[in-house]
């Protein structure tokens, strides 16, 4: 039909214009260099070979030559010394819960009805949340939560911690060939379970780590603590040369299953599931060849100065004295604000020049000409090949997909991780990376953006670059089910 | 819930902890499993089976060792992990949503031998070892199967299976629990389970058109599937040793008369006659017989209600007749009613509720059931008892295979009858037949 064709040709034209613009701006330096090189070449050809006798024409003597050499060597040394060390992610291992921990929807709902028998409205609420949650039928809860009522004691919490952490660490040792004695730095993050001695002490005791290991235990820092741990590891690895750092990210569910009726607090019961990951980072130059990724940027944004953001994820007692984590209604709005803040910082670091220029121009335009212009949202798809958005819940992923204008394939890793494993808090980013690898999509040079949100309210990002094309792994949490994915997740699952 | 010391004084079984076990693999797509009319006829009844193991069989077996194989076990007969839902017409079906099986862990203050020796005049305490299951009032969230693991003071353990009859009959229940032992021993069934398609009424005798006598309509139960009794019922169980059986057989009839009469028929005849002697109306004249005629092998099959329900009418005075005549009547003149039951329930649009066991005095033949097939660490249970809950006022008698002893197996007779009948019946059986 005649009306359609012009539209089509218009959009094609627009696409080529856009591509042309991007190429031009991103390679402007190279493009400027070409005429310069051409000019020099023409000059050289014109002058002829006899006149090219630079050494003679410059009239240097020995002292000047030596000084110049030393100067060059000095500059080079200063440059190499002050360059930050490269941080390599050698490998990581995610915990795969056994089938004995599996919790289908029907079982979860039944247990809820029995545990909350005095308040059927809370049960109805949980059912509605579960139907729309985006979780699948294979997510897992620790053994203590399978009891009616759950057997929440210090002992059962420790049992869960041991199962998850030791399993992930054993997996990591096997994959990387790392010996426990070679661990120089150990960082464990688990937000809601913080016993004494700490979980990092538990790891040191189990694996008999060295007495001068630098251990840290981060608690209370929410779902974004995984990237905080990575940031801490990076800073430590700058100071300590030739070191290995192991980061363990997990969330222990057993002590935190909410037993009351408050709706804002019941939400976390529906979404949080068992999971954990152990990551090996190193600054050894020799790891350059076998490391999977290297760390490019970590950007941390904290909105805690704002009272509303501070209180939006708050652990407190309900009217009956039962402790739970209350999620406020403005969570999504605050998350959006935190994301904007984070993007503003990370944008200039990662976006190609073309996008930055457009953003700058629109910003100037809005300030000077017309504030009603739509703000230009930079196209982050130009900066990254893969996105790992913390699988905090379906709403979070939907919101980010909308804000960053991502396609379904970009958020596939996040959605499928939410479906298969639930919200495993700080370790979910690693399950997502594992998904991308399992699908064979991780190629050398790919850039990955990990975004996590957490209580506080924090938005943390990490940017990794893939060091070598990764073959589809035969082990790992997705090995037995990757062929079934991606699955279509219905809007509402009928229970 | 924390154990209460006071309760331990009253009940020897204490410290119950509930949890759930689900199939290891997702059943997928929330399959809907249709129930046959025979299944629906049995919906108000519950089977309880208790298996006693001495300590050698369960030494070093922790709760985890018992629970872990259960996940794989439930993959096979996935209907047992489902839940009852109603279709638009109100007809119940099973939604295979992996709700799972409920596990109860409990402790007991007695030893196994002390428990088995308790042959008291009160209600058989075995009911404490299998959870008292009722489907409803929250019908869609009631487990169809409970498994209770009770540890005894001597280190022995009992496995108590509570099974909703709507899923299948006692043969299916027994095959189901036996499979757990097989999986624990590493024998995984290789093929997936067949669903048995019930053949339409296979009665060799032309069935008389009309209503079945083995079914009785009860007041609507709504979503709470248990019927109330008008009389207080009691359960009593006793062992008839092989020697006693032999003695009975030799005294009641000549070898030439034996033909196709089994122990079940003899024992049923004895109990029928003894009961009619103590009842004022010299009844009952009609009894229901429940036998397993067509589906011998239940291994590797989905649970089903495949037993044949028949009625027997005595046209002579039961209390005065010969045992052998009565036994022959049961063996040869019983009228299968499965076809009639199917028809009645097919046309049951108003959704009436029925009971089968106890509608008339019912005798259930479980002689061929492989009750001792559940093996833990290669050891058989030392004793197995089955009872039926939700029995009507006329009562039910189950004839089970006995445990292996020198001299042979013998039979176990478990009777659920009105309280006032049990005492008198026991007297007659002891005096006349030297059993009970």
């Amino acid at each position: 039909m005649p009306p359609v064709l012009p539209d089509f040709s218009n959009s094609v034209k627009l696409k080529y214009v856009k591509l042309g613009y991007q190429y031009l701006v991103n390679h402007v330096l190279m493009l400027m260099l070409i005429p310069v090189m051409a000019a020099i070449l023409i000059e050289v050809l014109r002058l002829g070979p006899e006149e090219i006798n630079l050494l003679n024409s410059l009239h240097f003597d020995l002292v000047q030559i030596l000084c110049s050499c030393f100067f060059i060597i000095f500059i080079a040394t200063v440059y190499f010394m002050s360059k930050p060390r490269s941080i390599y992610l050698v490998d990581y291992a995610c915990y795969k819960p056994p089938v004995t921990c599996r919790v289908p929807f029907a079982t979860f709902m039944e247990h809820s009805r029995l545990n909350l028998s005095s308040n059927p409205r809370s049960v109805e609420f949980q059912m509605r949340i579960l139907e729309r949650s985006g979780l699948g039928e294979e997510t897992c809860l620790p053994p203590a939560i399978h009891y009616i009522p759950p057997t929440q004691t210090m002992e059962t919490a420790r049992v869960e911690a041991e199962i998850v952490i030791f399993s992930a660490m054993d997996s990591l040792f096997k994959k990387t060939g790392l010996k426990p004695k070679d661990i120089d730095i150990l960082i464990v993050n688990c937000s809601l379970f913080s016993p004494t001695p700490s979980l990092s002490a538990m790891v040191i005791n189990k694996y008999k780590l060295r007495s001068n290991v630098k251990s840290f235990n981060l608690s209370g820092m929410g779902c974004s603590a995984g990237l905080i741990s990575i940031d801490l590891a990076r800073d430590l690895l700058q100071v300590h040369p030739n070191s290995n750092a192991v980061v363990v990210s997990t969330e222990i569910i057993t002590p935190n299953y909410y037993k009351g009726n408050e709706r804002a607090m019941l939400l976390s019961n529906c979404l949080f599931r068992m999971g954990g990951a152990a990551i090996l980072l190193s600054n050894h130059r020799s790891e350059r060849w076998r490391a999977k990724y290297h760390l490019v940027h970590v950007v941390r944004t904290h909105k805690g100065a704002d009272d509303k953001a501070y209180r939006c994820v708050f652990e407190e007692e309900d009217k009956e004295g039962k402790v739970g984590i209350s999620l406020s209604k403005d969570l999504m709005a605050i998350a959006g604000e935190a994301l904007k803040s984070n993007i503003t910082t990370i944008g200039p670091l990662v976006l190609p020049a073309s996008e930055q220029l457009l953003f700058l121009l629109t910003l100037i335009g809005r300030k000077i000409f017309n504030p009603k212009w739509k703000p230009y949202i930079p196209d982050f798809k130009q900066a990254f090949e893969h996105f790992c958005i913390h699988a905090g819940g379906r709403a979070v992923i939907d919101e980010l997909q909308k804000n960053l204008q991502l396609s379904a394939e970009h958020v596939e890793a996040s959605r499928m991780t939410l479906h298969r494993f639930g919200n495993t808090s700080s370790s979910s980013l690693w399950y997502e990376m594992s998904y991308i690898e399992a699908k064979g999509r991780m190629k050398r040079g790919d850039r990955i953006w990990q975004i996590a949100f957490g209580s506080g309210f924090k938005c943390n990002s990490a940017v990794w670059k893939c060091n070598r094309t990764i073959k589809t792994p035969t082990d790992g949490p997705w090995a037995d089910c990757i062929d079934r994915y991606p699955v279509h997740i219905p809007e509402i699952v009928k229970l | 819930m924390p154990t209460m010391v006071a309760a331990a004084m009253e009940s020897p079984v204490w410290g119950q902890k509930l949890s759930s076990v689900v199939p290891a693999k997702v059943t997928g797509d929330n399959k809907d499993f249709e129930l046959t009319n025979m299944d629906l006829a049995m919906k108000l009844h519950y089977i309880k089976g208790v298996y006693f193991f001495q300590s050698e069989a369960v030494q070093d077996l922790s709760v985890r060792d018992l629970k872990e194989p259960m996940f794989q076990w439930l993959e096979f007969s996935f209907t047992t992990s489902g839940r009852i839902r109603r279709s638009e017409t109100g007809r119940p079906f099973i939604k295979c949503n992996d709700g799972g099986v409920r596990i109860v862990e409990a402790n007991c203050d007695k030893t196994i031998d002390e428990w088995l020796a308790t042959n008291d005049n009160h209600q058989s305490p075995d009911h404490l070892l299998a959870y008292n299951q009722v489907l409803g009032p929250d019908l869609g969230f009631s487990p169809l199967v409970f498994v209770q693991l009770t540890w005894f003071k001597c280190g022995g353990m009992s496995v108590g299976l509570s099974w909703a009859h709507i899923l299948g009959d006692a043969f299916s229940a027994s095959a189901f629990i036996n499979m757990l032992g097989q999986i624990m021993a590493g024998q995984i069934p290789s093929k997936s389970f067949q669903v048995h398609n019930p053949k339409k009424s296979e009665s060799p005798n032309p069935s008389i058109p009309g209503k079945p006598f083995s079914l009785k309509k009860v007041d609507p139960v709504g979503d709470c599937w248990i019927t109330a009794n008008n009389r207080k019922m009691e359960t009593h169980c006793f062992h008839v040793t092989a020697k006693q059986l032999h003695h009975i057989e030799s005294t009641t009839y000549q070898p030439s008369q034996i033909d196709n009469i089994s122990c079940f028929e003899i024992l049923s005849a004895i109990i029928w006659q003894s009961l009619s002697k103590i009842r004022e109306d010299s009844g009952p004249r009609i009894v229901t017989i429940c036998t397993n005629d067509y589906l011998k092998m239940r291994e590797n099959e989905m649970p089903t209600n495949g037993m044949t329900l028949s009625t027997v009418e005595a046209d002579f005075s039961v209390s005065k007749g010969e045992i052998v005549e009565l036994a022959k009547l049961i063996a040869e003149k019983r009228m299968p009613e499965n076809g009639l039951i199917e028809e009645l329930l097919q046309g049951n649009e108003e959704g009436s509720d029925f009971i089968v066991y106890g509608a008339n005095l019912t005798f259930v033949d479980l002689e061929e059931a492989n009750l001792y097939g559940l093996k833990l660490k290669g050891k058989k249970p030392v004793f197995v008892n089955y009872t039926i809950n939700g029995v009507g006022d006329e009562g039910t008698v189950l004839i089970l295979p006995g445990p292996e002893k020198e001299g042979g197996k013998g039979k176990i007779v478990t009777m659920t009858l009105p309280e006032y009948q049990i005492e008198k019946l026991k007297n007659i059986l002891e005096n006349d037949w030297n059993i009970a």
Side-chain angles (χ1 to χ4, degrees):
Chain A
M1 309 277 134
V4 175
L5 231 51
D7 284 341
F8 174 68
S9 66
N10 268 350
S11 69
V12 166
K13 280 193 199 135
L14 198 63
K15 188 171 132 190
Y16 283 122
V17 165
K18 220 174 161 196
L19 277 175
Y21 160 74
Q22 282 166 359
Y23 194 76
L24 191 71
V25 177
N26 291 339
H27 299 101
V28 70
L29 280 175
M30 200 179 78
L31 291 173
M32 281 200 312
L33 212 56
I34 291 177
V36 170
M37 295 284 289
I40 294 176
L41 196 65
I42 294 171
E43 254 318 295
V44 162
L45 287 172
R46 210 159 50 81
L47 287 174
E50 303 84 25
E51 311 238 353
I52 315 293
N53 211 343
L54 281 163
L55 274 173
N56 283 346
S57 59
L58 284 174
H59 300 302
F60 276 148
D61 62 29
L62 197 62
V63 174
Q64 280 179 320
I65 292 172
L66 269 174
C67 283
S68 315
C69 285
F70 279 134
F71 187 65
I72 291 172
I73 291 171
F74 179 68
I75 298 287
T77 315
V78 168
Y79 170 71
F80 277 114
M81 292 296 280
S82 62
K83 196 169 78 128
R85 291 181 219 274
S86 285
I87 309 295
Y88 299 108
L89 194 166
V90 179
D91 208 341
Y92 61 95
C94 295
Y95 170 65
K96 172 130 189 252
V99 285
T100 53
C101 293
R102 185 185 154 216
V103 178
F105 286 162
T107 321
F108 182 85
M109 277 326 303
E110 215 165 274
H111 284 224
S112 280
R113 293 176 97 91
L114 293 167
N115 287 328
L116 293 173
S117 51
S118 54
N119 200 331
R121 286 183 63 196
S122 300
V123 175
E124 276 305 308
F125 173 74
Q126 279 208 314
M127 196 139 129
R128 283 204 310 272
I129 297 290
L130 203 60
E131 282 173 356
R132 292 162 177 74
S133 62
L135 265 68
E137 297 264 16
E138 292 178 281
T139 60
C140 296
L141 282 173
I145 308 291
H146 290 259
Y147 281 89
I148 305 166
T151 53
Q152 293 169 300
T153 60
M154 192 82 182
E155 198 192 322
T156 48
R158 276 218 170 96
V159 164
E160 183 194 344
E162 285 174 9
I163 297 175
V164 175
I165 296 178
F166 295 165
S167 189
M169 299 251 345
D170 288 340
S171 219
L172 184 68
F173 288 144
K174 198 162 141 221
K175 277 181 162 191
T176 55
L178 179 72
K179 304 262 182 320
K181 294 260 180 287
D182 294 333
I183 300 179
D184 304 292
I185 301 164
L186 173 70
I187 305 173
V188 178
N189 73 269
C190 170
S191 188
L192 294 165
F193 178 54
S194 186
T196 296
S198 64
L199 294 174
S200 57
M202 188 177 85
V203 172
I204 293 172
N205 171 259
K206 162 83 174 174
Y207 293 102
K208 314 285 180 250
L209 303 189
R210 298 196 317 260
S211 57
N212 63 350
V213 68
K214 291 174 188 44
S215 69
F216 298 86
N217 195 87
L218 299 176
S219 73
M221 300 191 93
C223 300
S224 57
L227 295 183
I228 297 178
S229 305
I230 299 283
D231 188 37
L232 179 60
R234 179 186 65 162
D235 291 343
L236 288 165
L237 287 171
Q238 299 298 338
V239 176
H240 300 289
N242 292 324
S243 298
N244 289 321
V246 171
V247 171
V248 178
S249 290
T250 182
E251 190 57 71
I252 302 301
I253 312 279
T254 303
N256 303 304
Y257 197 77
Y258 175 60
K259 294 189 281 284
N261 293 314
E262 202 63 37
R263 289 191 197 182
M265 299 183 181
L266 281 171
L267 197 62
S268 37
N269 281 1
C270 295
L271 298 175
F272 280 90
R273 295 291 183 266
M274 213 174 161
I279 303 110
L280 173 60
L281 297 168
S282 174
N283 57 11
H284 285 273
R285 284 237 194 273
S286 53
E287 299 287 13
R288 203 167 60 226
W289 307 114
R290 71 166 178 149
K292 277 186 173 174
Y293 306 94
H294 73 263
L295 184 58
V296 182
H297 298 292
V298 176
V299 174
R300 292 166 57 177
T301 316
H302 205 304
K303 302 300 268 180
D306 174 45
D307 286 340
K308 251 176 54 178
Y310 170 66
R311 291 208 118 242
C312 106
V313 179
F314 210 78
E315 186 181 17
E316 59 191 344
E317 272 134 357
D318 65 9
K319 293 194 269 286
E320 294 164 7
K322 302 200 176 114
V323 177
I325 300 161
S326 173
L327 300 168
S328 100
K329 292 199 177 36
D330 334 296
L331 185 62
M332 291 319 309
I334 291 169
E337 284 298 313
L339 178 70
K340 251 196 250 167
S341 236
N342 195 287
I343 288 181
T344 315
T345 318
I346 207 176
L349 294 172
V350 297
L351 285 169
S354 53
E355 292 296 314
Q356 297 201 40
L357 193 61
L358 271 176
F359 182 70
L360 188 65
L361 289 175
T362 348
L363 193 67
I364 293 174
R366 286 185 75 211
K367 284 273 188 309
I368 298 177
F369 298 121
N370 183 2
K372 289 225 181 67
W373 274 7
K374 262 176 51 187
Y376 178 68
I377 299 170
D379 186 8
F380 280 92
K381 299 195 284 287
Q382 302 255 343
F384 301 106
E385 277 73 40
H386 305 290
F387 294 79
C388 292
I389 301 169
H390 166 55
R394 201 175 195 164
V396 171
I397 303 176
D398 288 342
E399 188 69 22
L400 256 77
Q401 184 179 9
K402 205 176 68 173
N403 282 347
L404 298 173
Q405 292 163 348
L406 301 174
S407 73
E409 200 184 314
H410 286 124
V411 294
E412 188 185 305
S414 308
R415 287 201 198 280
M416 296 307 128
T417 297
L418 183 64
H419 184 268
R420 173 64 182 81
F421 294 100
N423 178 352
T424 58
S425 185
S426 40
S427 49
S428 67
L429 297 169
W430 301 106
Y431 287 99
E432 293 170 24
M433 287 268 258
S434 198
Y435 178 86
I436 301 173
E437 288 178 12
K439 279 289 188 190
R441 296 179 188 160
M442 201 64 88
K443 304 274 181 293
R444 188 190 147 101
D446 281 356
R447 295 153 297 176
I448 304 105
W449 187 15
Q450 288 183 325
I451 315 173
F453 296 97
S455 59
F457 195 80
K458 303 189 272 289
C459 176
N460 297 332
S461 301
V463 179
W464 302 90
K465 193 151 180 195
C466 183
N467 210 29
R468 57 180 174 84
T469 299
I470 295 172
K471 284 198 317 257
T472 312
T474 47
D475 57 4
W478 295 95
D480 63 345
C481 58
I482 192 69
D483 300 320
R484 284 191 266 128
Y485 284 91
V487 291
H488 167 66
I489 303 174
E491 202 56 47
I492 301 180
V493 174
K494 202 62 201 106
L495 286 180
Chain B
M1 296 275 86
T3 57
M4 293 174 285
V5 178
M9 307 290 271
E10 297 157 8
S11 166
V13 178
W14 53 273
Q16 282 91 342
K17 288 201 293 190
L18 275 81
S19 56
S20 291
V21 164
V22 300
K25 292 218 178 63
V26 184
T27 301
D29 302 329
N30 276 329
K31 279 193 213 163
D32 290 343
F33 189 83
E34 273 203 38
L35 291 166
T36 64
N37 290 318
M38 276 310 291
D39 293 331
L40 292 177
M42 308 303 263
K43 75 181 193 217
L44 298 182
H45 298 299
Y46 302 88
I47 297 177
K48 275 186 169 185
V50 185
Y51 297 72
F52 292 88
F53 290 90
Q54 292 286 14
S55 50
E56 304 89 58
V58 294
Q59 230 167 27
D60 308 327
L61 272 185
S62 65
V63 177
R64 230 183 98 186
D65 296 325
L66 287 156
K67 271 188 169 180
E68 272 183 23
M70 288 187 186
F71 289 83
Q72 207 180 7
W73 173 48
L74 292 178
E75 270 184 69
F76 293 101
S77 36
F78 48 80
T79 48
T80 53
S81 298
R83 295 292 182 267
I84 303 283
R85 292 286 143 85
R86 286 193 194 267
S87 68
E88 280 125 22
T89 56
R91 189 187 166 95
F93 66 94
I94 296 182
K95 187 162 186 186
C96 300
N97 61 6
D98 291 352
V101 153
R102 196 77 85 228
I103 308 292
V104 186
E105 298 162 42
N107 293 288
C108 180
D109 291 330
K110 302 192 174 174
T111 65
I112 296 257
D113 297 322
E114 280 170 11
W115 185 279
L116 292 176
T118 317
N119 186 16
D120 53 14
N121 298 329
H122 307 293
Q123 183 152 28
S124 161
D126 285 355
H127 75 277
L128 293 170
L129 298 175
Y131 197 82
N132 265 331
Q133 175 194 28
V134 172
L135 292 176
D138 216 357
L139 195 62
F141 294 91
S142 302
L144 297 170
V145 177
F146 282 74
V147 175
Q148 177 164 335
L149 306 169
T150 314
W151 273 266
F152 286 75
K153 200 165 79 171
C154 56
M157 189 185 79
S158 71
V159 177
L161 174 70
S162 303
W163 171 279
H165 215 300
I166 194 168
L167 266 178
D169 52 36
F171 283 83
S172 287
S174 165
F176 173 69
I177 197 86
N178 290 352
M179 201 187 3
L180 177 61
Q182 287 164 9
I183 291 190
M184 281 178 74
Q187 297 153 13
I188 321 279
S190 49
K191 46 192 170 97
S192 60
F193 277 22
Q194 309 299 321
V195 178
H196 172 73
N197 285 314
K199 298 179 244 174
K200 289 291 169 201
S201 57
E202 311 113 326
S203 45
N205 304 329
S207 40
I208 304 164
K211 276 180 44 180
F213 291 108
S214 47
L215 226 56
K216 185 175 107 170
K217 192 164 156 188
V218 294
D219 296 331
V221 294
D223 272 354
C224 186
W225 287 3
I226 191 92
T227 135
N229 293 102
N230 293 325
R231 304 182 191 142
K232 186 158 180 281
M233 307 294 281
E234 212 185 271
T235 304
H236 176 68
C237 112
F238 59 91
H239 188 188
V240 181
T241 60
K243 201 164 138 210
Q244 285 168 326
L245 268 177
H246 189 69
H247 178 76
I248 292 173
E249 281 170 13
S250 55
T251 49
T252 46
Y253 49 80
Q254 320 292 341
S256 62
Q257 291 174 306
I258 297 179
D259 260 22
N260 297 326
I261 301 182
S262 68
C263 291
F264 167 69
E265 278 122 13
I266 303 280
L267 287 169
S268 305
I270 292 175
I271 295 176
W272 189 0
Q273 191 180 68
S274 311
L275 261 178
S276 71
K277 284 186 185 161
I278 57 178
R279 274 167 63 146
E280 288 116 21
D281 55 354
S282 310
R285 302 205 69 118
I286 298 187
V287 298
T288 305
I289 306 289
C290 188
T291 47
N292 189 33
D293 292 330
Y294 299 106
L295 287 182
K296 294 296 176 189
M297 289 305 293
R298 297 303 184 89
E299 315 295 316
N300 299 344
E301 285 214 5
M302 293 297 279
T304 183
N305 275 298
M307 291 179 86
T308 309
L309 292 165
S310 331
T311 48
V312 176
E313 186 165 3
D315 47 6
F316 54 88
S317 170
V318 175
S319 47
K320 300 199 176 57
E322 289 281 330
I323 286 294
V324 69
E325 289 302 320
L326 211 48
K328 260 187 167 178
L329 190 70
I330 294 174
E332 290 159 13
K333 295 277 193 319
R334 56 181 185 238
M335 310 292 278
E337 290 199 336
N338 281 32
L340 292 173
I341 294 174
E342 286 273 344
E343 266 181 54
L344 179 65
L345 280 159
Q346 193 68 36
N348 181 23
E349 298 202 348
E350 64 273 15
S352 309
D353 301 314
F354 300 91
I355 53 166
V356 171
Y357 297 117
N360 307 315
L361 175 64
T362 309
F363 292 94
V364 185
D365 181 6
L366 297 180
E367 283 182 304
E368 300 293 311
N370 186 14
L371 298 186
Y372 291 83
L374 171 62
K375 293 196 197 149
L376 295 179
K377 282 178 146 184
K379 302 254 188 328
K380 288 189 181 183
V382 68
F383 180 68
V384 179
N385 191 10
Y386 266 60
T387 44
I388 298 195
N389 255 14
V391 165
D393 291 334
E394 292 294 314
T396 300
V397 178
L398 286 92
I399 313 286
L400 317 163
E404 289 249 2
K405 291 216 162 103
E406 315 113 26
K409 287 197 195 157
K411 303 284 167 201
I412 306 280
V413 177
T414 304
M415 318 187 287
T416 304
L417 292 165
E419 196 181 20
Y420 74 93
Q421 291 178 3
I422 289 262
E423 204 50 50
K424 295 188 200 162
L425 182 63
K426 282 197 328 195
N427 286 338
I428 295 201
L429 289 173
E430 267 181 50
N431 295 336
D432 294 356
W433 300 99
N434 203 21
I435 55 179

